[in-house]
Amino acid sequence: MTELTKTLELKLVDPNVHKRQKLRETRDAYQQALQAAFAAGCDTQSAANDVVVEYDLSGYAKNALKKYVPQLCGNSYDADKLHDDHPVRFTNEGLQLDHQPQNAIEWYVKIPHHEDYHLWIPARANPEQREWLESLYADDAEMGESRLFERDGTWYLHVTATRAVEDQSTASADERTPIGVDIGEASLVTVCHRDERGSPVRPQLWADDGKAVRRLRKTYFTAKRRLQQRGSERIAESYGDALWDQIDDVFHRVTREVVKYAKSVENPVLVLEDLTYIRENMDYGEYMNRRLHGWGFAKLHAQIRYKAAEKGIPVETVNPRNTSKACHACGEHGYRPRQATFRCSNDGCWVGEYQADVNGAINITDRYRS
Ligand SMILES: [Zn+2]
């Protein structure tokens, strides 16, 4: 087991005038308390407490100060370094994270302001850190201290997170068994791999979960429209939250099962389609957009990634071009007479008709080797 720690970077998105004002108030109060406690030479937590208790700050910020100031005083810290843009620290669990995948800005953070007042602000995350946010949001990573600061008029939040991962086996890339993971329409997720003779084996489809997620999304959009027409924004929002939580539960169960599947294969490597590549190729058109936005493509990827890491299973990505169009046996392009069916256009190919998602998963599997 190895413990990983990372600083997650969140950029607060256009806080309105009121929220900006509140953020500044928090920062000013924090810095005044910090200066005062430092000037008083507080070298113990209780001494720091006596000073910071007077300030209009949340318990999270006060507790962070109580820990921080004695460290500064003990280290004969240079007072000049306590400059204006010193970040506001909050102790762990001071922040809360919310995820609204249906919104353009998906993540929200709850920032403590003072004792019984906080701010919810949308935040843009570093896309590379998506798996960390997913694991934090699912309580599979632990939140540490966070720091709030302003730079050139923009507010940022840095959150420390920790999670445990299993060490990977030392098997080389050639010794690994690639398992293709296809995320799609008919089946939420499909996995398949080839046995030592090269035959596709043990295809597993999460088709019912695909159906369930589609139904939940449809319910959400219908209900939202109806509630908005009646002017019940707030009800629409809390109703939406409940539905997205249900979708997230499905995602978590399915991604756990995908990792379990991988765990049952010797020296596995999970192979996913490269998201950046997909985004750059807009000719994938509406179908791909629907996959990306509607199906929580990135969310499923991130969950698979961090859960695979927890179990010491490597994850690789491959170019997704034509993985759903090509025949896994002969490579010719085929078509879909029905949603879940792939038909090879090559008359000389034995495949004929094949389950479309499994065909895609095998293509993804094979791309790992090529
Ligand atoms: Zn074929």
Side-chain angles (χ1 to χ4, degrees):
M1 276 290 198
T2 305
E3 195 134 277
L4 299 181
T5 298
K6 195 150 199 116
T7 299
L8 309 189
E9 300 151 6
L10 293 157
K11 179 179 162 184
L12 305 187
V13 180
D14 301 333
N16 60 28
V17 175
H18 169 74
K19 287 181 178 174
R20 265 177 203 283
Q21 177 61 30
K22 295 292 167 201
L23 289 171
R24 280 196 208 108
E25 281 173 23
T26 289
R27 183 189 54 194
D28 294 348
Y30 181 90
Q31 280 168 0
Q32 283 160 19
L34 175 62
Q35 303 277 4
F38 184 70
C42 299
D43 52 4
T44 63
Q45 293 213 9
S46 70
N49 184 54
D50 292 342
V51 175
V52 305
V53 73
E54 303 294 330
Y55 289 84
D56 199 7
L57 286 166
S58 75
Y60 301 109
K62 285 180 189 168
N63 286 335
L65 278 168
K66 280 186 251 174
K67 279 205 264 180
Y68 187 51
V69 175
Q71 287 172 25
L72 292 183
C73 290
N75 292 337
S76 60
Y77 193 85
D78 181 0
D80 290 342
K81 285 191 188 161
L82 298 179
H83 47 67
D84 283 339
D85 58 1
H86 199 90
V88 179
R89 289 161 189 259
F90 300 104
T91 46
N92 61 333
E93 309 303 330
L95 289 225
Q96 243 184 62
L97 199 60
D98 192 24
H99 193 214
Q100 300 287 331
Q102 73 277 23
N103 294 347
I105 308 293
E106 291 180 50
W107 298 95
Y108 289 77
V109 278
K110 182 175 132 180
I111 301 173
H113 177 44
H114 40 70
E115 215 47 76
D116 46 9
Y117 187 86
H118 57 257
L119 304 160
W120 275 108
I121 300 180
R124 227 180 267 284
N126 177 345
E128 310 265 298
Q129 298 181 331
R130 175 104 201 197
E131 65 191 88
W132 278 92
L133 286 168
E134 286 289 341
S135 60
L136 205 54
Y137 186 56
D139 279 334
D140 286 332
E142 217 177 293
M143 190 185 283
E145 196 186 64
S146 47
R147 297 182 297 282
L148 171 74
F149 59 95
E150 186 183 13
R151 192 187 291 149
D152 300 328
T154 305
W155 286 87
Y156 298 87
L157 200 55
H158 283 181
V159 183
T160 319
T162 309
R163 63 191 171 104
V165 300
E166 235 171 76
D167 297 324
Q168 287 180 13
S169 81
T170 51
S172 71
D174 285 345
E175 290 164 327
R176 296 217 174 256
T177 307
I179 299 159
V181 181
D182 183 75
I183 292 167
E185 289 279 284
S187 169
L188 183 62
V189 178
T190 305
V191 294
C192 193
H193 68 284
R194 290 183 186 270
D195 65 12
E196 56 280 11
R197 290 183 309 280
S199 311
V201 285
R202 288 179 51 207
Q204 191 170 345
L205 295 95
W206 283 266
D208 288 345
D209 298 295
K211 225 176 282 170
V213 170
R214 273 203 302 276
R215 198 190 59 234
L216 286 165
R217 281 189 57 221
K218 198 166 165 235
T219 310
Y220 167 74
F221 286 112
T222 316
K224 189 178 148 188
R225 213 170 24 244
R226 207 182 53 227
L227 288 164
Q228 278 174 341
Q229 279 163 2
R230 296 206 321 233
S232 314
E233 287 288 344
R234 205 163 267 284
I235 299 172
E237 215 169 274
S238 65
Y239 186 63
D241 285 353
L243 287 172
W244 285 105
D245 283 348
Q246 286 182 52
I247 292 176
D248 203 29
D249 287 347
V250 174
F251 279 15
H252 276 293
R253 181 171 41 73
V254 171
T255 51
R256 249 193 324 270
E257 286 168 7
V258 166
V259 171
K260 201 171 153 203
Y261 176 104
K263 195 79 183 158
S264 72
V265 174
E266 206 183 341
N267 286 326
V269 51
L270 280 164
V271 187
L272 304 175
E273 294 178 297
D274 189 336
L275 284 174
T276 35
Y277 192 92
I278 291 174
R279 287 206 187 92
E280 280 162 13
N281 285 268
M282 292 318 284
D283 60 319
Y284 277 80
E286 217 191 325
Y287 170 66
M288 222 13 127
N289 286 337
R290 219 164 50 224
R291 272 180 80 178
L292 284 173
H293 301 301
W295 282 97
F297 204 86
K299 200 169 166 63
L300 286 163
H301 268 203
Q303 291 186 6
I304 289 170
R305 276 179 182 285
Y306 90 75
K307 287 174 195 181
E310 279 177 356
K311 301 288 178 199
I313 298 167
V315 175
E316 295 291 340
T317 54
V318 295
N319 185 331
R321 184 164 282 272
N322 296 329
T323 46
S324 58
K325 289 183 194 141
C327 168
H328 73 274
C330 70
E332 291 261 321
H333 284 193
Y335 60 98
R336 290 188 180 208
R338 291 174 298 283
Q339 168 77 347
T341 306
F342 172 85
R343 181 153 189 85
C344 182
S345 313
N346 176 0
D347 291 337
C349 175
W350 65 268
V351 158
E353 284 192 349
Y354 210 83
Q355 210 293 331
D357 298 303
V358 177
N359 181 65
I362 304 168
N363 281 329
I364 295 167
T365 303
D366 293 347
R367 212 150 280 190
Y368 174 77
R369 293 256 179 259
S370 59

